[in-house]
Amino acid sequence: MQIENIVRKFLIEGEPVSCKEFGSGHINYTVKVLTDAGNEYVLQRINKYVFKDPVRLMENVSSVTDFLRSRVDDPRMALHYIPTHEGPFYFLDDEGEYWRMYDFIGGFCLDAPESEEDFYQSALAFGRFQHMLSDFPAHTLFETIPEFHNTIDRYRQLKESIAADACGRLSSVQADVDFLMEREELGCTLQRLRESGELPLRVTHNDTKLNNVLLDKDSRKSLCVLDLDTVMPGLSLYDFGDSIRFGAATAAEDEQDLSKMSMDLHLFEVYTRGFLEAATSLTDREVELLPMGAFVITLELATRFMKDHLDGDLYFKTAYPGHNLVRARAQMKLAADMQEKMDQMQQIVAAVVKQVRG
Ligand code: ADP
Ligand code: GN1
Ligand code: MG
């Protein structure tokens, strides 16, 4: 089906005059649409390999966006999904693909902070998101990807892929796999604290990369949080940690020159300040474990990239052969650096918490 005909299924203003692929997400296919009425929209095809139940996923996303829209002053601070002429917030095409559309808010996303203020703004956005959803009825949310950040389960899945060695790639990555396996116990600590009830379950975003925050094109202040597909009950520490993993790293997520990859402690401090200023309801135990959140989520993503490399690149979009291995190695390098800097990160958190909370 032609992309323009998919666009016409939604209740938008005007006729599509241009539809261009854009964005740098690894999961969905994203298109920017311009109409002859001068309006701009985002059209997305939901990745069915990743999200097994797109209908319930859209129920989650629409209830969360409705809730957020009732809390914000500026309508640009929450996504606005557009229904089809038939009423639902998705369109199912002849090939069984699910599509959805939302207003293009007129901002921009970054793949790396251009200044510490950009990063601070993203911390405020994710902290506010955490705070605004603190009284959302979590039990009404469907788990769009079960066990998404359950590191114990992620290790189980990695071991399955190691045992299957579906593409015969294991022997060439044995040293990398050993690195991951040596850190299994440490990687599972937060999940165990969640299971014992020491860490509270909250409504979390679960994919808090900088490129999932929209910045205002004039003021550069953070407007809203995008990519709500993985909003589910989870740990606040992973929302914090994933932002650090992506935005406080000194190199891109898929940097090939590992000597360039480390964690910038100054950016860690900047983000910690913004997040704690906005997410005021975190418990002392959560605050104390924020550095561990950064380390664990980085290690977890390394296991996910490695699993996908062993499986034959089925999950993440790749740009070249071996891309997932490059990503896994970059994340392992970053995790190792975080492990070395754990004491320094803890000192920073303690100092920031004193300033922010008094
Ligand atoms: P994915 O699951 O593929 O990451 P996203 O919803 O995050 O899907 O969209 C992919 C990317 O498209 C985002 O990371 C961002 O770069 C870009 N994007 C999406 N919506 C907007 C928007 N309203 N304005 C600017 N960029 C956007
Ligand atoms: C994926 O969709 P995107 O690109 O924002 C992934 C995250 C990973 C991230 C790594 C649903 O996020 O979990 O951390 O890639 N999303 C899903 O860049 O698996
Ligand atoms: Mg995204």
Side-chain angles (χ1 to χ4, degrees):
M1 200 167 178
Q2 258 204 325
I3 203 94
E4 286 79 6
N5 287 335
I6 294 168
V7 171
R8 290 190 185 99
K9 299 290 173 188
F10 291 86
L11 261 174
I12 56 164
E13 262 186 69
E15 269 289 300
V17 289
S18 95
C19 300
K20 288 197 189 114
E21 184 173 351
F22 92 129
S24 45
H26 295 343
I27 304 294
N28 298 310
Y29 171 66
T30 306
V31 174
K32 185 171 170 185
V33 177
L34 174 69
T35 70
D36 59 7
N39 290 0
E40 291 177 309
Y41 301 92
V42 178
L43 173 73
Q44 277 185 326
R45 183 179 64 216
I46 302 174
N47 181 325
K48 276 194 305 180
Y49 181 79
V50 170
F51 300 108
K52 311 288 184 207
D53 192 341
V55 174
R56 292 182 76 191
L57 177 149
M58 284 313 292
E59 281 168 17
N60 265 11
V61 169
S62 56
S63 63
V64 169
T65 47
D66 278 355
F67 187 89
L68 291 173
R69 288 175 76 75
S70 71
R71 304 263 148 147
V72 295
D73 314 319
D74 179 342
R76 298 177 306 158
M77 292 180 90
L79 290 181
H80 179 226
Y81 279 87
I82 296 157
T84 61
H85 293 280
E86 277 76 42
F89 286 97
Y90 63 86
F91 168 66
L92 176 59
D93 74 11
D94 311 338
E95 285 152 37
E97 298 292 348
Y98 290 83
W99 298 83
R100 59 176 174 204
M101 249 180 127
Y102 58 91
D103 285 329
F104 181 85
I105 302 177
F108 62 98
C109 298
L110 293 172
D111 283 317
E114 287 170 9
S115 66
E116 63 178 68
E117 177 62 20
D118 290 341
F119 199 40
Y120 174 72
Q121 284 297 323
S122 74
L124 290 181
F126 284 120
R128 280 195 304 258
F129 185 86
Q130 165 71 240
H131 189 68
M132 282 194 285
L133 290 174
S134 58
D135 56 348
F136 182 90
H139 65 277
T140 61
L141 286 176
F142 161 66
E143 250 193 289
T144 52
I145 304 181
E147 314 297 349
F148 190 53
H149 286 322
N150 176 344
T151 313
I152 300 175
D153 197 62
R154 290 293 181 186
Y155 265 98
R156 181 193 62 74
Q157 291 186 37
L158 174 64
K159 286 178 211 162
E160 258 178 31
S161 298
I162 292 171
D165 193 15
C167 302
R169 294 175 173 175
L170 180 62
S171 59
S172 59
V173 296
Q174 194 56 57
D176 304 290
V177 166
D178 291 346
F179 173 98
L180 294 171
M181 295 315 299
E182 279 158 21
R183 286 161 182 77
E184 180 177 7
E185 247 337 279
L186 202 55
C188 295
T189 44
L190 298 181
Q191 177 63 24
R192 295 195 206 292
L193 293 176
R194 169 180 165 167
E195 287 171 7
S196 69
E198 243 184 276
L199 285 173
L201 208 53
R202 299 183 181 277
V203 176
T204 46
H205 182 276
N206 294 305
D207 188 6
T208 52
K209 297 196 290 193
L210 181 68
N211 67 16
N212 285 330
V213 176
L214 197 64
L215 300 177
D216 184 275
K217 65 178 181 349
D218 302 318
S219 68
R220 269 187 109 93
K221 294 219 181 302
S222 49
L223 275 176
C224 89
V225 165
L226 305 173
D227 204 347
L228 307 179
D229 297 334
T230 50
V231 174
M232 290 181 275
L235 294 180
S236 61
L237 302 182
Y238 292 150
D239 271 7
F240 171 85
D242 211 19
S243 294
I244 298 298
R245 173 192 75 72
F246 193 79
T250 54
E253 186 179 81
D254 57 355
E255 174 59 57
Q256 306 205 10
D257 178 353
L258 295 180
S259 70
K260 292 188 179 154
M261 180 57 103
S262 63
M263 197 208 32
D264 181 323
L265 281 169
H266 178 63
L267 286 178
F268 176 84
E269 180 180 350
V270 167
Y271 192 93
T272 303
R273 174 165 297 111
F275 193 74
L276 288 179
E277 278 170 6
T280 47
S281 49
L282 298 195
T283 65
D284 291 348
R285 188 78 171 119
E286 283 176 298
V287 171
E288 177 194 326
L289 286 166
L290 289 173
M292 198 57 186
F295 166 73
V296 171
I297 203 76
T298 306
L299 186 69
E300 184 196 284
L301 189 61
T303 70
R304 295 175 61 198
F305 284 145
M306 182 57 81
K307 172 189 157 55
D308 207 28
H309 175 69
L310 293 171
D311 292 350
D313 310 306
L314 303 174
Y315 186 100
F316 294 103
K317 282 189 210 161
T318 50
Y320 54 84
H323 198 172
N324 276 315
L325 178 59
V326 166
R327 288 169 171 154
R329 286 181 171 152
Q331 297 307 299
M332 285 190 270
K333 174 71 198 303
L334 182 58
D337 190 53
M338 287 175 174
Q339 217 179 339
E340 274 177 28
K341 292 177 176 157
M342 194 56 75
D343 289 349
Q344 285 155 287
M345 285 195 276
Q346 279 161 352
Q347 285 160 16
I348 290 171
V349 170
V352 171
V353 93
K354 238 189 201 158
Q355 289 161 12
V356 173
R357 294 191 168 175

